[in-house]
Amino acid sequence: MIRKCLFPAAGYGTRFLPATKAMPKEMLPIVNKPLIQYGVEEAIEAGLHQIGIISGRGKRAIEDHFDISYELEHQISGTAKEALLNQIRNVIDKCTFSYTRQVEMHGLGHAILTGETLVGSEPFAVLLADDFCANDDDGVLKQMVDLFAIHQCSIVAIEEVPMDQTQNYGVIAGDEIEPGLYQVTEMVEKPAPENAPSNLAIIGRYILTPDIFDILRQTKPGRAGEIQITDAIAAQAKSGKVLAYKFKGRRFDCGAIEGFVEATNFVYENYYTHGNNYPNRKL
Ligand code: G1P
C-alpha cells in the first residue's frame, strides 16, 4: 500500500521571473488555487495522506499555505467568505506535511534522493506540481495507485508528444503488454528527436519502489550534469519490471507560460464559471 507522496519543490522557477523572485513557483495559482494544492488534492484522492515536500531556500510560503492562519480565519469567521477557506482546511486536516531541504540543486534524481529521509523503505509516489493534470474521473495518481496494487513495481505516467518535442522530456521505449501499458525496456532523458526511442514522454507522476534510493546513490550525473531520475529508473528497468502508463486525462505544462495560461483558461471556463472549483470530486 502506498501512503506517501513526495513533491520536489526546490527549483527556482526562472521561467516565471519576476513573479517567482520572492514567491515559490509551486504557489502560482491556477485561477484561485496554488499549483501545489491541486497536486496535494490529487494525492489525497489516491489515498496518499503523508505529504513530503522537498523544499529549498525561499519556499516558506508553501509551509504557511498548508497550515492554519488563525488571524485570517478569525477575521472572516461567520462571513460568506468563510467557505473559501474550507477546501484548504479540509486538505490540512486530512494530511501530514513533512519538509526537508535540498541544499544544493543537482537534478530531480538528487531531489528525490533527498526525500529518502521522509519516505524510508516503502513504495511512494512523486508528483511534479508544474505538470497540472485535469480529469473528471479518477485523477492520474489514483489510476497509478490502482495499477501498483496489481503490478507492485515502479510506474511512470506517459503521454504521446510531437516528435519534435522529445528533447523536453524523459522518453521511454517498451513492450505494450496491455493497451496503454508498457513494460519499459529503455528510458532516455531529453533525447534529441533523432535519438529518441519513441514519442512516449514521461510526465510528472511516478510511483517508485524504495530500491530506487540505492540506485540513485550509484547514478552518475547525466543530462545537463545532473542526477536524473530517468537514468535511475532505466537502471531499475534493466534488472526488474518497470511500467509506463498512458494516463487518462489532460496534462498542462505549467512549468511554461503557455501551458500555465492554457490551464488557467481551461479551469476558468470549465469549472470556475460553473461554480465549481476544480477538482469537483469529493476528497
Ligand atoms: C523532468 C524529468 C523529465 C520529465 C519531466 C516531466 O524534467 O527530468 O524526465 O519528462 O520532468 O515534466 P523537467 O521538466 O524538470 O526539466
Side-chain angles (χ1 to χ4, degrees), residues 67-88:
D67 197 353
I68 293 170
S69 169
Y70 283 108
E71 204 177 311
L72 183 62
E73 295 194 18
H74 176 74
Q75 283 288 333
I76 66 173
S77 133
T79 73
K81 289 189 178 151
E82 204 174 351
L84 295 172
L85 279 183
N86 285 349
Q87 201 176 2
I88 177 67

Side-chain angles (χ1 to χ4, degrees), residues 101-167:
R101 280 213 186 197
Q102 189 183 4
V103 176
E104 291 180 340
M105 312 295 188
H106 297 303
L108 181 57
H110 176 250
I112 291 171
L113 185 54
T114 305
E116 182 181 20
T117 183
L118 303 178
V119 169
S121 53
E122 53 186 278
F124 61 102
V126 177
L127 192 152
L128 307 183
D130 54 14
D131 273 336
F132 170 74
C133 292
N135 197 328
D136 278 331
D137 302 315
D138 285 348
V140 181
L141 267 191
K142 169 81 168 75
Q143 297 169 37
M144 294 171 76
V145 163
D146 289 349
L147 270 179
F148 180 83
I150 301 167
H151 297 278
Q152 304 283 323
C153 66
S154 290
I155 306 170
V156 298
I158 50 166
E159 73 175 2
E160 285 189 39
V161 296
M163 207 59 208
D164 63 2
Q165 287 180 24
T166 56
Q167 68 282 1

